[in-house]
Amino acid sequence: MDVQLNDGLGDAGHLRAAIDEADIVPLLLVLAHLSGDEAILDEAAPYIHGAWNFMHTVPPALQVGIRDRLAEVLRDYDSTGRALPATPPAHLLRKMLNVGVGQAVPEEYVPLLLEEMRLGEVDPRSVAWRARPPAEVLAGFRAVVIGAGLSGLCMAIKLREAGIPFTIIEKNPTVGGTWYENTYPGCGVDTPNHFFSYSFAPNHDWPEHFSKRNELWGYLERCADEYDIRRDITFDTEVTAARWDAARARWDVTVREADGATATLEANVLITAVGQLNRPSIPDIPGLKDFPGPVFHTGQWDHSQSVVGKRVAMIGTGASGMQAGPSIAPDVEHLTIFQRTPHWSVHNPNYHARVSAGKIWALKNIPFYAKWNRFLLFWASSDGLHASLQIDPDWPMPDRSLNATNQQFRDLLIAHITKELGERTDLLPKVVPDYPPYGKRMLRDNHWYRMLTRPNVDLVTERIDHIDPDAIVTRDGARHPAEMIVLATGFQAGRMLWPMQICGREGDTLRDRWGDDDPRAYLGITTPGFPNLFMLYGPNTNLGHGGSIIFHTECQVHYIMQALREMLEHDIASLECRQAPHDAYNARVDAAHRNMVWSHGGVGNWYKNARGRVIANSPWRLVDYWAFTRGFSSTDFVLGQPDR
Ligand code: N01
């Protein structure tokens, strides 16, 4: 790799400007990486207290020293044309990891982090053939992927890389899935963007640390083009059913085309990539159907209806409401928010910050800056909180918090809310949850509390009784005038893969086995009775403690690619997960969840089903799930040979 100091924004002046603007800790790590200087790490170590870019107190003089040295080192590489060191030697690497995040990084994370950073040119998550199958074997094989959202695209990119033919069936007219469909005002990501992107396709142009929907969708559109995936996608077509044909070891996949006609495709393997949060949940409130004004769900925002100057009612205060509410509040005449349960939300100083031109230059041009930055963001938002989400059976305040750390976090969150509400202390009892932090999905404060103090915003916590043509009426009899209703009421997460009818080896459907809300799978990916069916973002794979769903998707894609390699290299017609590993895995999942915050009796959330079983979330640390999916053991499967 060449140092490109004269590309991008231009000359050495730009380099200096970028070095001056970029974050000090990734710069420090780049300096150590390029120079091998351990002493500078020792000097800076006492001032680094965490992985976020605001968690250091590196003194200005030391910062100047680091920036000057790095400029010199880069000029030296540039003028001498010396090759850059790819991966630092082991002892230096360990020190860089530890110093960078201000804590000892356990050994088990090192291979994962190296993969995530992708320091070399080769993608360590690519599954290479051990013995490439003959071209005719590959040509006679077909995967059907359902959905061209971020997991379907990730799958397709890896299938293409391996030369495995595939077709994606996508119900929408273009790619992007949730990032295509959700267009509500303020829609955006709340995982840091430079980590919320494929590890193999970093984007240095994110305009914000937490970018908005158009940027996310645009990124997925670009990935579809850059990896030339679009030609293998059938758009405007929805999979309605799939049936396993055991004699031919094939899935017969029924699709409904744009004109309503149905057709059947054949697939050796069927891979679902439809997300957990795709089918809106519409509340059954008396009068809602007869409301004469516009009514729409956040996931299906009706942009033909202007909110400007209207009396708008918003039902629901989850992640979608948190973003939509503050985004429309300045424009509406009045916003009445109906809150059933308050959510916790955390402040992050980067949440509303744009990425400066200098930082973008650094990400693009300073060798390894983007990679070390990704490592830091990964660490900042991954497993750090996992241990604090375990229930301490001896904790004296079990209704409010789980343990001492969770209580400290609760106190910090309340301090933030109190500061934001200012004089409106009357709102405190309404907005402070009575359950432990993380019991529901932790949100990022999008100026929610400030919004609540606006004169044109009301927060109603009384339950809704019914809806009249001109008002929402609460159980206390109060009428809340409304001309337009926004349903920020979430999705039918528990009904995974619904409404598709997927019929397995024994003739029953997934719905028959799972009921309405009890999905189970081995590693969240594969389930007995349904050979050659693989799921992305399946049961118990949602992340509630941290991390990025893209990271989890890459783990699942890696596992599925290993399964396909096994099938194609060894002439295996079908792989069906055995009952014993499936049941043992789910027993472990349930046992792990029993001790975690989402099982807390005092809170409802979309993570668990009607009987309290957590069905959406993974109980595992990222490093655990990564380890589970890093290898593939065919002993977990019944192998079917081709019928010749
Ligand atoms: O949905 P939710 P969401 N009457 O289910 C309330 C992802 N996401 O679309 O809490 C009154 O969280 C319900 O009340 P309660 C993210 O994973 C990410 O906001 O059940 N209220 C709740 O307040 C997220 O977790 C991003 O008591 C009713 C709200 O509606 C997931 O999507 C952005 C009701 C639903 O909240 C879902 O988030 C957006 C009724 N009948 C979404 N029914 C980012 O990355 C439901 N509610 C930022």
Side-chain angles (χ1 to χ4, degrees), residues 184 188 190 277 283 316-320 323 340-341 440-441 488-490 606:
Y184 61 81
D190 64 6
L277 302 163
T317 54
S320 302
Q323 294 186 328
R340 195 162 65 178
T341 323
K440 284 179 184 288
R441 187 179 191 276
T489 44
W606 61 264

Side-chain angles (χ1 to χ4, degrees), residues 38 151 275 317 353 362 404:
E38 289 189 43
S151 59
T317 54

Side-chain angles (χ1 to χ4, degrees), residues 184-190 212 298 301 314-329 335 337 339 342-347 351-352 416-417 420 431 441-452 486-489:
Y184 61 81
C187 179
V189 70
D190 64 6
K212 295 289 177 263
T298 45
W301 194 273
M314 184 174 85
I315 304 176
T317 54
S320 302
M322 162 63 72
Q323 294 186 328
S327 307
I328 60 172
L335 178 63
I337 299 172
Q339 172 190 280
H343 274 65
W344 286 109
S345 81
V346 65
H347 167 67
Y351 190 56
H352 294 102
H416 170 69
I417 298 171
E420 290 292 294
V431 298
R441 187 179 191 276
M442 181 57 68
L443 308 183
R444 291 209 188 274
D445 180 15
N446 185 33
H447 297 324
W448 177 259
Y449 306 103
R450 284 186 211 176
M451 169 200 67
L452 294 178
V486 172
L487 301 173
T489 44

Side-chain angles (χ1 to χ4, degrees), residues 169-197:
I169 306 296
E170 168 55 59
K171 68 176 162 51
N172 291 323
T174 188
V175 304
T178 198
W179 292 111
Y180 166 73
E181 290 182 13
N182 281 269
T183 60
Y184 61 81
C187 179
V189 70
D190 64 6
T191 302
N193 247 157
H194 298 89
F195 163 47
F196 191 86
S197 39

Side-chain angles (χ1 to χ4, degrees), residues 57 118 264 374 511 555 591:
T57 50
R118 201 176 171 233
T264 303
R374 187 169 180 116
R511 196 68 34 221
C555 290

Side-chain angles (χ1 to χ4, degrees), residues 115 118 121-129 132 138 141 143 145 149-168 197-202 219 223-224 226-229 232 269 271 536 550-565 568:
E115 247 189 50
R118 201 176 171 233
E121 286 302 290
V122 178
D123 182 356
R125 291 198 179 131
S126 289
V127 176
W129 294 110
R132 194 181 175 87
L138 286 176
F141 190 91
V145 179
L150 71 82
S151 59
L153 285 177
C154 182
M155 189 74 240
I157 290 167
K158 292 295 161 185
L159 287 166
R160 167 66 47 73
E161 185 179 89
I164 299 176
F166 65 89
T167 304
I168 304 186
S197 39
Y198 300 126
S199 62
F200 53 81
Y219 168 75
C223 286
E226 280 165 22
Y227 291 88
D228 194 18
I229 301 301
D232 286 310
V269 296
I271 302 169
L536 293 169
I550 294 186
F551 170 79
H552 248 204
T553 297
E554 289 189 12
C555 290
Q556 292 148 22
V557 167
H558 187 73
Y559 182 86
I560 295 169
M561 288 304 297
Q562 293 173 90
L564 299 187
R565 175 173 68 180
L568 283 158

